[in-house]
Amino acid sequence: VSGVSGASGDSYIPKSEAFPEPETPISPYYKDVQTRFLSEDRAPRTVFADVEAMKEKVRDAIFEPKYNVCDYYKEEGLCQRMARHPHFETFCLGVVAANAIWISVETDYNSQDVLTKADIGFQLMQHLFCFFFVFEWIVRFTAFEKKINGFRDQWFALDSLL
């Protein structure tokens, strides 16, 4: 085949001669893949399935009310008033932090394996922490209007397990 010179002096080779068909036939599986994925009538793929549906999900997530355990408390009563109070929550977190520090102190200085054999100071502190955590649990449990909601709250359920 005689070539046609281009502007750069290259000779033009027809496509059929430049890329000849392979001698080995293509398997039917790959022909099927070519037919399905390279056909002209196939709809173009997008990165996101449905942009409008995604926007709607984002809007729903933004305007969804935040979870607040106080929504499940009673409207009246001493325990719900205590459980809702920000000072109660702050105090409880402070006691949890103090307990963590006390555990490290006890680990370093209490050589006894059993609490009943330990020094009276270690026993007293353990009993005080236990008393407070039981008191906190009772206040929060009695604050719930429906008691089953207490076990649906993840923090209260964790406290119940501990």
Side-chain angles (χ1 to χ4, degrees):
V1 175
S2 63
V4 178
S5 281
S8 64
D10 298 352
S11 61
Y12 172 76
I13 302 172
K15 186 177 177 183
S16 60
E17 290 179 23
F19 303 103
E21 288 293 323
E23 294 178 16
T24 340
I26 296 177
S27 76
Y29 171 76
Y30 290 113
K31 281 287 190 188
D32 182 49
V33 169
Q34 282 181 334
T35 308
R36 286 190 332 206
F37 293 107
L38 300 177
S39 65
E40 296 294 327
D41 59 327
R42 182 183 160 108
R45 288 187 149 187
T46 59
V47 176
F48 301 108
D50 185 6
V51 176
E52 289 304 317
M54 287 184 64
K55 286 181 183 179
E56 190 62 33
K57 282 177 123 176
V58 169
R59 285 186 202 109
D60 290 345
I62 290 173
F63 296 115
E64 183 176 302
K66 297 279 184 190
Y67 173 78
N68 186 0
V69 70
C70 295
D71 295 339
Y72 299 103
Y73 290 163
K74 297 175 186 174
E75 296 298 321
E76 297 177 356
L78 177 64
C79 288
Q80 67 83 26
R81 193 167 54 229
M82 285 177 63
R84 288 179 194 267
H85 203 283
H87 292 313
F88 181 75
E89 183 179 350
T90 304
F91 186 71
C92 289
L93 290 175
V95 171
V96 168
N99 189 26
I101 293 169
W102 177 252
I103 289 172
S104 69
V105 168
E106 183 184 22
T107 302
D108 289 342
Y109 296 107
N110 184 7
S111 60
Q112 299 297 324
D113 292 333
V114 180
L115 183 62
T116 56
K117 293 181 181 179
D119 186 47
I120 191 71
F122 293 113
Q123 292 181 31
L124 181 65
M125 290 304 291
Q126 286 297 340
H127 292 306
L128 286 175
F129 282 119
C130 181
F131 173 77
F132 177 78
F133 289 129
V134 168
F135 171 74
E136 178 205 7
W137 187 91
I138 290 171
V139 166
R140 291 176 58 207
F141 182 73
T142 54
F144 281 103
E145 188 170 12
K146 294 179 181 176
K147 305 307 181 207
I148 192 71
N149 287 335
F151 297 102
R152 290 180 181 144
D153 179 53
Q154 292 178 352
W155 284 115
F156 187 77
L158 177 67
D159 287 347
S160 298
L161 286 174
L162 295 176

